[in-house]
Amino acid sequence: MAHIKLTTLLTLLFLACPADSAPAVSREQARQSLTDMDVQVRREAATRLGEIGAMDDTPALRQALRDDDADTREHAEQSMWQIWERSGNQQVDRLYQAGVLQMKDGDLRKAIATFTRIIELKPGFAEGWNKRATLYFLDGEYRKSLADCAQVIKRNPHHFGALAGYGQIYLRLEDYARALDYFRRALEVNPNMDSVKHNILLLEQLIEQRRKDMV
């Protein structure tokens, strides 16, 4: 009787275990799975790298930005942002989240002060510079924004957000040739940026029209 009860208990415990109790996918496994034939596997791999990935994983994610599957491309882009936003320092990460909330609330001055503090604490953290560049742009301080974009690209040459940011700044400064160049560079890294594609088309038309007017 005791044996029967024990067997029953073990059976119930087994049934209570979740069906998806397989070991979590590692970074290396996720990177390899980005090229799997199964589209769902590629989507899950791209998402997984956003959860656990590091900067060393971004080259594989950049390749995934050209995947045939739109969802995989979207997951890869979001995962790159997630990786970029992790500084590896708890204090900096807390300040970063506070700064993002300040940005959302429209408190530009306070957010600029927060990201300036982040830069002071960890100057190698590219995303701190990128967020301050965005804030300077929103505040109309284009030269300061350009200087911060340069710091981003120095630390993360494939930061398509900062490259597109360069384009937006030069567009505001009416330096259309430079704006076009940076928009094209951003699109080379991430070909899924529809707003950048639109800006490129408009700038090409504008520059061509100016060329004709000068003839």
Side-chain angles (χ1 to χ4, degrees), residues 46-76:
T47 300
R48 179 62 174 159
L49 285 175
E51 298 167 354
I52 63 170
M55 287 298 291
D56 288 347
D57 300 311
T58 56
L61 286 167
R62 286 203 307 274
Q63 291 299 316
L65 294 174
R66 288 168 166 75
D67 195 279
D68 291 337
D69 175 61
D71 285 344
T72 300
R73 297 195 301 269
E74 182 178 349
H75 294 325

PDB file of all heavy atoms in Angstrom, residues 46-76:
ATOM      1  N   ALA A  46      16.280  35.127 -32.083  1.00  0.00           N
ATOM      2  CA  ALA A  46      16.474  36.570 -32.082  1.00  0.00           C
ATOM      3  C   ALA A  46      15.945  37.184 -30.793  1.00  0.00           C
ATOM      4  O   ALA A  46      16.590  38.045 -30.186  1.00  0.00           O
ATOM      5  CB  ALA A  46      15.777  37.193 -33.288  1.00  0.00           C
ATOM      6  N   THR A  47      14.800  36.719 -30.348  1.00  0.00           N
ATOM      7  CA  THR A  47      14.219  37.213 -29.098  1.00  0.00           C
ATOM      8  C   THR A  47      15.083  36.838 -27.907  1.00  0.00           C
ATOM      9  O   THR A  47      15.308  37.656 -27.002  1.00  0.00           O
ATOM     10  CB  THR A  47      12.805  36.640 -28.911  1.00  0.00           C
ATOM     11  OG1 THR A  47      11.981  37.054 -30.002  1.00  0.00           O
ATOM     12  CG2 THR A  47      12.182  37.131 -27.609  1.00  0.00           C
ATOM     13  N   ARG A  48      15.576  35.617 -27.901  1.00  0.00           N
ATOM     14  CA  ARG A  48      16.406  35.130 -26.784  1.00  0.00           C
ATOM     15  C   ARG A  48      17.668  35.974 -26.628  1.00  0.00           C
ATOM     16  O   ARG A  48      18.097  36.283 -25.509  1.00  0.00           O
ATOM     17  CB  ARG A  48      16.777  33.658 -27.026  1.00  0.00           C
ATOM     18  CG  ARG A  48      17.662  33.027 -25.964  1.00  0.00           C
ATOM     19  CD  ARG A  48      16.992  33.000 -24.618  1.00  0.00           C
ATOM     20  NE  ARG A  48      17.798  32.259 -23.640  1.00  0.00           N
ATOM     21  CZ  ARG A  48      17.664  32.408 -22.325  1.00  0.00           C
ATOM     22  NH1 ARG A  48      16.764  33.259 -21.824  1.00  0.00           N
ATOM     23  NH2 ARG A  48      18.414  31.700 -21.503  1.00  0.00           N
ATOM     24  N   LEU A  49      18.267  36.377 -27.728  1.00  0.00           N
ATOM     25  CA  LEU A  49      19.478  37.192 -27.638  1.00  0.00           C
ATOM     26  C   LEU A  49      19.179  38.564 -27.039  1.00  0.00           C
ATOM     27  O   LEU A  49      20.038  39.169 -26.404  1.00  0.00           O
ATOM     28  CB  LEU A  49      20.128  37.325 -29.010  1.00  0.00           C
ATOM     29  CG  LEU A  49      20.870  36.079 -29.490  1.00  0.00           C
ATOM     30  CD1 LEU A  49      21.379  36.262 -30.913  1.00  0.00           C
ATOM     31  CD2 LEU A  49      22.025  35.730 -28.563  1.00  0.00           C
ATOM     32  N   GLY A  50      17.966  39.044 -27.230  1.00  0.00           N
ATOM     33  CA  GLY A  50      17.590  40.288 -26.577  1.00  0.00           C
ATOM     34  C   GLY A  50      17.547  40.133 -25.065  1.00  0.00           C
ATOM     35  O   GLY A  50      17.825  41.078 -24.325  1.00  0.00           O
ATOM     36  N   GLU A  51      17.239  38.943 -24.596  1.00  0.00           N
ATOM     37  CA  GLU A  51      17.137  38.672 -23.160  1.00  0.00           C
ATOM     38  C   GLU A  51      18.497  38.476 -22.517  1.00  0.00           C
ATOM     39  O   GLU A  51      18.739  38.948 -21.400  1.00  0.00           O
ATOM     40  CB  GLU A  51      16.276  37.425 -22.929  1.00  0.00           C
ATOM     41  CG  GLU A  51      14.834  37.576 -23.413  1.00  0.00           C
ATOM     42  CD  GLU A  51      14.108  36.240 -23.451  1.00  0.00           C
ATOM     43  OE1 GLU A  51      14.769  35.192 -23.214  1.00  0.00           O
ATOM     44  OE2 GLU A  51      12.889  36.235 -23.708  1.00  0.00           O
ATOM     45  N   ILE A  52      19.398  37.772 -23.212  1.00  0.00           N
ATOM     46  CA  ILE A  52      20.660  37.380 -22.570  1.00  0.00           C
ATOM     47  C   ILE A  52      21.893  37.800 -23.353  1.00  0.00           C
ATOM     48  O   ILE A  52      23.020  37.576 -22.902  1.00  0.00           O
ATOM     49  CB  ILE A  52      20.712  35.844 -22.366  1.00  0.00           C
ATOM     50  CG1 ILE A  52      20.686  35.126 -23.723  1.00  0.00           C
ATOM     51  CG2 ILE A  52      19.572  35.373 -21.476  1.00  0.00           C
ATOM     52  CD1 ILE A  52      20.975  33.640 -23.634  1.00  0.00           C
ATOM     53  N   GLY A  53      21.718  38.414 -24.498  1.00  0.00           N
ATOM     54  CA  GLY A  53      22.848  38.682 -25.388  1.00  0.00           C
ATOM     55  C   GLY A  53      23.773  39.778 -24.901  1.00  0.00           C
ATOM     56  O   GLY A  53      23.464  40.540 -23.987  1.00  0.00           O
ATOM     57  N   ALA A  54      24.929  39.845 -25.548  1.00  0.00           N
ATOM     58  CA  ALA A  54      25.946  40.867 -25.271  1.00  0.00           C
ATOM     59  C   ALA A  54      26.390  41.475 -26.593  1.00  0.00           C
ATOM     60  O   ALA A  54      25.972  41.038 -27.671  1.00  0.00           O
ATOM     61  CB  ALA A  54      27.125  40.240 -24.530  1.00  0.00           C
ATOM     62  N   MET A  55      27.271  42.473 -26.511  1.00  0.00           N
ATOM     63  CA  MET A  55      27.710  43.152 -27.724  1.00  0.00           C
ATOM     64  C   MET A  55      28.324  42.193 -28.736  1.00  0.00           C
ATOM     65  O   MET A  55      28.222  42.417 -29.947  1.00  0.00           O
ATOM     66  CB  MET A  55      28.709  44.256 -27.366  1.00  0.00           C
ATOM     67  CG  MET A  55      28.091  45.476 -26.708  1.00  0.00           C
ATOM     68  SD  MET A  55      26.893  46.348 -27.759  1.00  0.00           S
ATOM     69  CE  MET A  55      27.988  47.024 -29.023  1.00  0.00           C
ATOM     70  N   ASP A  56      28.942  41.136 -28.257  1.00  0.00           N
ATOM     71  CA  ASP A  56      29.550  40.157 -29.164  1.00  0.00           C
ATOM     72  C   ASP A  56      28.510  39.455 -30.034  1.00  0.00           C
ATOM     73  O   ASP A  56      28.864  38.847 -31.051  1.00  0.00           O
ATOM     74  CB  ASP A  56      30.323  39.109 -28.363  1.00  0.00           C
ATOM     75  CG  ASP A  56      31.604  39.658 -27.751  1.00  0.00           C
ATOM     76  OD1 ASP A  56      32.022  40.765 -28.152  1.00  0.00           O
ATOM     77  OD2 ASP A  56      32.179  38.995 -26.876  1.00  0.00           O
ATOM     78  N   ASP A  57      27.246  39.527 -29.631  1.00  0.00           N
ATOM     79  CA  ASP A  57      26.184  38.862 -30.391  1.00  0.00           C
ATOM     80  C   ASP A  57      25.582  39.757 -31.467  1.00  0.00           C
ATOM     81  O   ASP A  57      24.820  39.285 -32.309  1.00  0.00           O
ATOM     82  CB  ASP A  57      25.062  38.419 -29.438  1.00  0.00           C
ATOM     83  CG  ASP A  57      25.555  37.454 -28.377  1.00  0.00           C
ATOM     84  OD1 ASP A  57      26.242  36.481 -28.747  1.00  0.00           O
ATOM     85  OD2 ASP A  57      25.261  37.666 -27.183  1.00  0.00           O
ATOM     86  N   THR A  58      25.904  41.043 -31.448  1.00  0.00           N
ATOM     87  CA  THR A  58      25.259  41.952 -32.395  1.00  0.00           C
ATOM     88  C   THR A  58      25.640  41.719 -33.863  1.00  0.00           C
ATOM     89  O   THR A  58      24.807  41.974 -34.737  1.00  0.00           O
ATOM     90  CB  THR A  58      25.500  43.424 -32.008  1.00  0.00           C
ATOM     91  OG1 THR A  58      26.910  43.677 -31.901  1.00  0.00           O
ATOM     92  CG2 THR A  58      24.833  43.745 -30.674  1.00  0.00           C
ATOM     93  N   PRO A  59      26.864  41.235 -34.187  1.00  0.00           N
ATOM     94  CA  PRO A  59      27.122  40.933 -35.606  1.00  0.00           C
ATOM     95  C   PRO A  59      26.144  39.903 -36.169  1.00  0.00           C
ATOM     96  O   PRO A  59      25.677  40.044 -37.315  1.00  0.00           O
ATOM     97  CB  PRO A  59      28.557  40.406 -35.599  1.00  0.00           C
ATOM     98  CG  PRO A  59      29.193  41.084 -34.422  1.00  0.00           C
ATOM     99  CD  PRO A  59      28.106  41.125 -33.385  1.00  0.00           C
ATOM    100  N   ALA A  60      25.809  38.880 -35.374  1.00  0.00           N
ATOM    101  CA  ALA A  60      24.855  37.868 -35.832  1.00  0.00           C
ATOM    102  C   ALA A  60      23.463  38.477 -35.980  1.00  0.00           C
ATOM    103  O   ALA A  60      22.725  38.153 -36.919  1.00  0.00           O
ATOM    104  CB  ALA A  60      24.820  36.696 -34.847  1.00  0.00           C
ATOM    105  N   LEU A  61      23.110  39.366 -35.071  1.00  0.00           N
ATOM    106  CA  LEU A  61      21.809  40.018 -35.164  1.00  0.00           C
ATOM    107  C   LEU A  61      21.748  40.965 -36.358  1.00  0.00           C
ATOM    108  O   LEU A  61      20.690  41.123 -36.979  1.00  0.00           O
ATOM    109  CB  LEU A  61      21.505  40.771 -33.870  1.00  0.00           C
ATOM    110  CG  LEU A  61      21.139  39.886 -32.668  1.00  0.00           C
ATOM    111  CD1 LEU A  61      21.161  40.689 -31.375  1.00  0.00           C
ATOM    112  CD2 LEU A  61      19.772  39.237 -32.872  1.00  0.00           C
ATOM    113  N   ARG A  62      22.879  41.596 -36.689  1.00  0.00           N
ATOM    114  CA  ARG A  62      22.894  42.457 -37.879  1.00  0.00           C
ATOM    115  C   ARG A  62      22.599  41.639 -39.129  1.00  0.00           C
ATOM    116  O   ARG A  62      21.902  42.115 -40.035  1.00  0.00           O
ATOM    117  CB  ARG A  62      24.248  43.163 -38.025  1.00  0.00           C
ATOM    118  CG  ARG A  62      24.467  44.280 -37.044  1.00  0.00           C
ATOM    119  CD  ARG A  62      25.512  45.285 -37.562  1.00  0.00           C
ATOM    120  NE  ARG A  62      26.767  44.664 -37.948  1.00  0.00           N
ATOM    121  CZ  ARG A  62      27.775  44.407 -37.124  1.00  0.00           C
ATOM    122  NH1 ARG A  62      27.663  44.698 -35.839  1.00  0.00           N
ATOM    123  NH2 ARG A  62      28.888  43.858 -37.566  1.00  0.00           N
ATOM    124  N   GLN A  63      23.122  40.424 -39.182  1.00  0.00           N
ATOM    125  CA  GLN A  63      22.816  39.561 -40.318  1.00  0.00           C
ATOM    126  C   GLN A  63      21.337  39.211 -40.339  1.00  0.00           C
ATOM    127  O   GLN A  63      20.710  39.131 -41.402  1.00  0.00           O
ATOM    128  CB  GLN A  63      23.668  38.288 -40.248  1.00  0.00           C
ATOM    129  CG  GLN A  63      25.140  38.508 -40.499  1.00  0.00           C
ATOM    130  CD  GLN A  63      25.410  39.085 -41.880  1.00  0.00           C
ATOM    131  OE1 GLN A  63      24.840  38.644 -42.873  1.00  0.00           O
ATOM    132  NE2 GLN A  63      26.277  40.087 -41.949  1.00  0.00           N
ATOM    133  N   ALA A  64      20.769  39.025 -39.140  1.00  0.00           N
ATOM    134  CA  ALA A  64      19.349  38.677 -39.046  1.00  0.00           C
ATOM    135  C   ALA A  64      18.446  39.830 -39.481  1.00  0.00           C
ATOM    136  O   ALA A  64      17.263  39.611 -39.784  1.00  0.00           O
ATOM    137  CB  ALA A  64      19.004  38.247 -37.619  1.00  0.00           C
ATOM    138  N   LEU A  65      18.965  41.043 -39.525  1.00  0.00           N
ATOM    139  CA  LEU A  65      18.190  42.177 -40.032  1.00  0.00           C
ATOM    140  C   LEU A  65      17.873  42.022 -41.512  1.00  0.00           C
ATOM    141  O   LEU A  65      17.045  42.764 -42.049  1.00  0.00           O
ATOM    142  CB  LEU A  65      18.954  43.491 -39.814  1.00  0.00           C
ATOM    143  CG  LEU A  65      19.165  43.938 -38.370  1.00  0.00           C
ATOM    144  CD1 LEU A  65      20.067  45.169 -38.326  1.00  0.00           C
ATOM    145  CD2 LEU A  65      17.838  44.227 -37.681  1.00  0.00           C
ATOM    146  N   ARG A  66      18.517  41.055 -42.167  1.00  0.00           N
ATOM    147  CA  ARG A  66      18.284  40.781 -43.579  1.00  0.00           C
ATOM    148  C   ARG A  66      17.579  39.438 -43.794  1.00  0.00           C
ATOM    149  O   ARG A  66      17.558  38.924 -44.917  1.00  0.00           O
ATOM    150  CB  ARG A  66      19.620  40.804 -44.341  1.00  0.00           C
ATOM    151  CG  ARG A  66      20.177  42.205 -44.485  1.00  0.00           C
ATOM    152  CD  ARG A  66      21.616  42.216 -44.964  1.00  0.00           C
ATOM    153  NE  ARG A  66      22.024  43.547 -45.403  1.00  0.00           N
ATOM    154  CZ  ARG A  66      22.307  44.557 -44.579  1.00  0.00           C
ATOM    155  NH1 ARG A  66      22.262  44.347 -43.267  1.00  0.00           N
ATOM    156  NH2 ARG A  66      22.635  45.745 -45.039  1.00  0.00           N
ATOM    157  N   ASP A  67      17.021  38.889 -42.742  1.00  0.00           N
ATOM    158  CA  ASP A  67      16.316  37.612 -42.839  1.00  0.00           C
ATOM    159  C   ASP A  67      15.109  37.751 -43.775  1.00  0.00           C
ATOM    160  O   ASP A  67      14.528  38.825 -43.915  1.00  0.00           O
ATOM    161  CB  ASP A  67      15.844  37.180 -41.446  1.00  0.00           C
ATOM    162  CG  ASP A  67      15.428  35.724 -41.394  1.00  0.00           C
ATOM    163  OD1 ASP A  67      14.283  35.409 -41.790  1.00  0.00           O
ATOM    164  OD2 ASP A  67      16.251  34.887 -40.974  1.00  0.00           O
ATOM    165  N   ASP A  68      14.741  36.649 -44.417  1.00  0.00           N
ATOM    166  CA  ASP A  68      13.581  36.660 -45.308  1.00  0.00           C
ATOM    167  C   ASP A  68      12.272  36.891 -44.548  1.00  0.00           C
ATOM    168  O   ASP A  68      11.283  37.344 -45.125  1.00  0.00           O
ATOM    169  CB  ASP A  68      13.487  35.337 -46.078  1.00  0.00           C
ATOM    170  CG  ASP A  68      14.609  35.163 -47.087  1.00  0.00           C
ATOM    171  OD1 ASP A  68      15.177  36.191 -47.516  1.00  0.00           O
ATOM    172  OD2 ASP A  68      14.916  34.012 -47.440  1.00  0.00           O
ATOM    173  N   ASP A  69      12.283  36.562 -43.254  1.00  0.00           N
ATOM    174  CA  ASP A  69      11.079  36.658 -42.438  1.00  0.00           C
ATOM    175  C   ASP A  69      11.005  38.013 -41.727  1.00  0.00           C
ATOM    176  O   ASP A  69      11.927  38.406 -41.007  1.00  0.00           O
ATOM    177  CB  ASP A  69      11.068  35.527 -41.400  1.00  0.00           C
ATOM    178  CG  ASP A  69       9.912  35.639 -40.436  1.00  0.00           C
ATOM    179  OD1 ASP A  69       8.751  35.592 -40.897  1.00  0.00           O
ATOM    180  OD2 ASP A  69      10.162  35.778 -39.214  1.00  0.00           O
ATOM    181  N   ALA A  70       9.897  38.728 -41.908  1.00  0.00           N
ATOM    182  CA  ALA A  70       9.756  40.071 -41.335  1.00  0.00           C
ATOM    183  C   ALA A  70       9.781  40.037 -39.806  1.00  0.00           C
ATOM    184  O   ALA A  70      10.363  40.929 -39.175  1.00  0.00           O
ATOM    185  CB  ALA A  70       8.459  40.712 -41.815  1.00  0.00           C
ATOM    186  N   ASP A  71       9.154  39.025 -39.191  1.00  0.00           N
ATOM    187  CA  ASP A  71       9.137  38.951 -37.727  1.00  0.00           C
ATOM    188  C   ASP A  71      10.536  38.730 -37.164  1.00  0.00           C
ATOM    189  O   ASP A  71      10.904  39.313 -36.145  1.00  0.00           O
ATOM    190  CB  ASP A  71       8.208  37.829 -37.253  1.00  0.00           C
ATOM    191  CG  ASP A  71       6.736  38.204 -37.379  1.00  0.00           C
ATOM    192  OD1 ASP A  71       6.452  39.411 -37.543  1.00  0.00           O
ATOM    193  OD2 ASP A  71       5.884  37.307 -37.321  1.00  0.00           O
ATOM    194  N   THR A  72      11.318  37.895 -37.823  1.00  0.00           N
ATOM    195  CA  THR A  72      12.697  37.672 -37.380  1.00  0.00           C
ATOM    196  C   THR A  72      13.490  38.967 -37.455  1.00  0.00           C
ATOM    197  O   THR A  72      14.255  39.299 -36.546  1.00  0.00           O
ATOM    198  CB  THR A  72      13.374  36.585 -38.238  1.00  0.00           C
ATOM    199  OG1 THR A  72      12.644  35.361 -38.115  1.00  0.00           O
ATOM    200  CG2 THR A  72      14.814  36.349 -37.788  1.00  0.00           C
ATOM    201  N   ARG A  73      13.304  39.704 -38.539  1.00  0.00           N
ATOM    202  CA  ARG A  73      14.000  40.989 -38.676  1.00  0.00           C
ATOM    203  C   ARG A  73      13.600  41.954 -37.558  1.00  0.00           C
ATOM    204  O   ARG A  73      14.453  42.636 -36.976  1.00  0.00           O
ATOM    205  CB  ARG A  73      13.692  41.621 -40.042  1.00  0.00           C
ATOM    206  CG  ARG A  73      14.164  40.814 -41.234  1.00  0.00           C
ATOM    207  CD  ARG A  73      14.179  41.634 -42.511  1.00  0.00           C
ATOM    208  NE  ARG A  73      12.878  42.180 -42.868  1.00  0.00           N
ATOM    209  CZ  ARG A  73      11.988  41.565 -43.646  1.00  0.00           C
ATOM    210  NH1 ARG A  73      12.257  40.341 -44.116  1.00  0.00           N
ATOM    211  NH2 ARG A  73      10.842  42.135 -43.950  1.00  0.00           N
ATOM    212  N   GLU A  74      12.321  41.995 -37.260  1.00  0.00           N
ATOM    213  CA  GLU A  74      11.840  42.899 -36.203  1.00  0.00           C
ATOM    214  C   GLU A  74      12.392  42.497 -34.838  1.00  0.00           C
ATOM    215  O   GLU A  74      12.833  43.341 -34.060  1.00  0.00           O
ATOM    216  CB  GLU A  74      10.308  42.896 -36.166  1.00  0.00           C
ATOM    217  CG  GLU A  74       9.741  43.848 -35.129  1.00  0.00           C
ATOM    218  CD  GLU A  74       8.219  43.871 -35.135  1.00  0.00           C
ATOM    219  OE1 GLU A  74       7.610  43.303 -36.073  1.00  0.00           O
ATOM    220  OE2 GLU A  74       7.636  44.446 -34.196  1.00  0.00           O
ATOM    221  N   HIS A  75      12.374  41.181 -34.542  1.00  0.00           N
ATOM    222  CA  HIS A  75      12.911  40.701 -33.265  1.00  0.00           C
ATOM    223  C   HIS A  75      14.402  40.999 -33.156  1.00  0.00           C
ATOM    224  O   HIS A  75      14.896  41.365 -32.086  1.00  0.00           O
ATOM    225  CB  HIS A  75      12.676  39.196 -33.116  1.00  0.00           C
ATOM    226  CG  HIS A  75      11.222  38.820 -33.001  1.00  0.00           C
ATOM    227  ND1 HIS A  75      10.312  39.609 -32.354  1.00  0.00           N
ATOM    228  CD2 HIS A  75      10.548  37.730 -33.448  1.00  0.00           C
ATOM    229  CE1 HIS A  75       9.120  39.029 -32.415  1.00  0.00           C
ATOM    230  NE2 HIS A  75       9.239  37.898 -33.074  1.00  0.00           N
ATOM    231  N   ALA A  76      15.112  40.852 -34.267  1.00  0.00           N
ATOM    232  CA  ALA A  76      16.556  41.120 -34.254  1.00  0.00           C
ATOM    233  C   ALA A  76      16.827  42.590 -33.961  1.00  0.00           C
ATOM    234  O   ALA A  76      17.728  42.921 -33.178  1.00  0.00           O
ATOM    235  CB  ALA A  76      17.171  40.721 -35.599  1.00  0.00           C
TER     236      ALA A  76
END
